[in-house]
Amino acid sequence: MIPADDELDALLKRLHLASARRIWPKLVERAEKEQWSYRDFLGILVAEEIAQRQQTRLQRLSRRAVFPFLKTIDDFDFTYQSTLRLSLLGSALSSDFITEGRCLILSGKPGRGKTHLAIAIAYRAIQNGFDAVFTTAAQLIDELSAAFRAGGLAAALAPYTHPALLVVDEVGYLTYGTDAANMLFHVVNDRHRRKRSMIFTTNKSLNAWGRVLHDEDLAQAIVDRVLERGRLLTLDGPSIRTNHLGLDEAQAGASNQGADLARISGIARPEFPEPPAPSAVVWRSFAESRRRPNRAKAPLDLRATDAGESGL
């Protein structure tokens, strides 16, 4: 029995084939006009359904990742970087980065593209079929600290420990509470044991994380777990945000000017400079003191002394 059009529409709805249900009438017209075989028609119908599902899933996971903005690896300009190249990120853009639980720490001054690169890698992970979550270090620490005080730390950890990839942005940008290292360690340690990937961005050196998180030992334990299956990549070059103003070149010129102030024939400024020459006022005062007559000292009266000696 061949179903009618409305019956076929109901069957497709029952199978949750939303894309096939939407496109099949026009696809039938095209197949008849171009004389497709039954196999070609079925293949195109199924391919369109799968493509639509992938696109829907990509949009859903991107919204769930709560990216502050969406950037891809194709949008990143590597020409500003002196050491970082796309080839160095090859493994981070593959499925192996997630399945093997690898990690990255992106370090550099503000405006170098750390957040852009972290989001691009996370978005590629979503394209590869994995889920990801983006958060800032301040948000993660504040939420977990509040949950700990309320007695609900275990439930609050789940959104940060379950996704295949966690991006923690801006480590060291803001001031955290005294329990910052403890809260962050809970997340890192759990993900490390489960071999789940992490990406951190920071403007501080790794040696400074102890001061930032208020605990040197826990900070070292966090870095140790992240880098066991991870890498540290440094982003340099000018600030992408203010590159059009040339501020980096102006600051570099100002810092080099001090080193060149006392250069004569390539000789650098002495570490201990000679004292300045006396001023004209000092020389004039000295000359006037030399011309002024000295007061003659009164001669010593020796008569009293002689008389005293003769009396003895």
Side-chain angles (χ1 to χ4, degrees):
M1 178 180 178
I2 300 177
D5 290 354
D6 56 344
E7 294 176 340
L8 179 59
D9 188 80
L11 292 174
L12 292 174
K13 181 179 180 180
R14 185 175 180 181
L15 293 173
H16 303 287
L17 300 176
S19 179
R21 181 187 175 197
R22 185 182 69 255
I23 68 173
W24 77 265
K26 292 184 178 181
L27 204 62
V28 167
E29 294 179 3
R30 183 181 174 187
E32 293 175 348
K33 183 182 300 184
E34 300 180 8
Q35 296 182 351
W36 290 353
S37 65
Y38 297 122
R39 182 184 180 280
D40 293 339
F41 173 80
L42 181 60
I44 294 177
L45 185 66
V46 172
E48 289 290 339
E49 178 66 33
I50 292 177
Q52 182 61 37
R53 289 193 175 192
Q54 290 177 341
Q55 184 64 24
T56 302
R57 184 177 186 275
L58 185 63
Q59 295 173 352
R60 183 178 68 254
L61 292 179
S62 297
R63 289 194 300 269
R64 190 182 299 172
V66 290
F67 295 132
F69 50 84
L70 185 58
K71 292 289 185 179
T72 66
I73 196 65
D74 296 329
D75 299 329
F76 191 83
D77 192 347
F78 287 92
T79 59
Y80 293 116
Q81 304 297 319
S82 62
T83 57
L84 183 62
R85 294 292 179 266
L86 179 60
S87 58
L88 296 177
L89 297 175
S91 59
L93 300 174
S94 67
S95 299
D96 294 341
F97 182 78
I98 304 299
T99 57
E100 296 178 4
R102 299 177 187 173
C103 302
L104 277 178
I105 298 179
L106 304 176
S107 176
K109 296 179 180 179
R112 270 58 184 178
K114 302 182 297 298
T115 303
H116 177 156
L117 198 57
I119 291 175
I121 296 173
Y123 185 69
R124 178 60 63 87
I126 292 176
Q127 289 176 315
N128 291 333
F130 303 97
D131 60 336
V133 167
F134 178 96
T135 184
T136 63
Q139 178 182 354
L140 182 148
I141 292 170
D142 289 345
E143 288 185 2
L144 295 184
S145 296
F148 176 75
R149 291 190 296 270
L153 180 61
L157 283 172
Y160 299 112
T161 57
H162 287 177
L165 173 61
L166 174 66
V167 178
V168 181
D169 195 31
E170 298 178 346
V171 176
Y173 278 69
L174 300 177
T175 302
Y176 312 122
T178 55
D179 59 347
N182 189 20
M183 297 299 104
L184 186 57
F185 179 79
H186 279 293
V187 176
V188 172
N189 187 54
D190 188 278
R191 296 188 64 87
H192 174 264
R193 290 189 295 102
R194 299 170 185 261
K195 290 187 176 182
R196 290 177 176 166
S197 301
M198 294 172 279
I199 299 177
F200 291 85
T201 71
T202 181
N203 65 336
K204 297 291 191 297
S205 66
L206 299 185
N207 294 332
W209 280 29
R211 184 175 66 256
V212 169
L213 300 175
H214 309 294
D215 193 313
E216 294 286 348
D217 294 334
L218 276 181
Q220 184 177 357
I222 290 171
V223 173
D224 183 71
R225 283 162 172 75
V226 173
L227 292 183
E228 179 181 357
R229 295 185 296 269
R231 290 188 299 164
L232 171 65
L233 297 179
T234 301
L235 282 72
D236 55 11
S239 172
I240 299 175
R241 298 189 186 98
T242 60
N243 186 45
H244 63 287
L245 300 176
L247 297 180
D248 295 279
E249 297 179 1
Q251 293 174 357
S255 62
N256 294 332
Q257 184 180 3
D260 296 335
L261 287 178
R263 285 187 179 273
I264 301 177
S265 301
I267 301 175
R269 175 191 293 183
E271 184 178 0
F272 302 101
E274 296 293 334
S279 64
V281 176
V282 175
W283 279 115
R284 187 162 54 250
S285 300
F286 177 75
E288 290 176 358
S289 66
R290 296 284 294 175
R291 290 195 299 269
R292 188 180 301 119
N294 296 330
R295 294 180 179 179
K297 295 182 179 180
L300 183 63
D301 189 3
L302 298 178
R303 288 176 299 176
T305 305
D306 295 339
E309 290 177 356
S310 61
L312 294 175

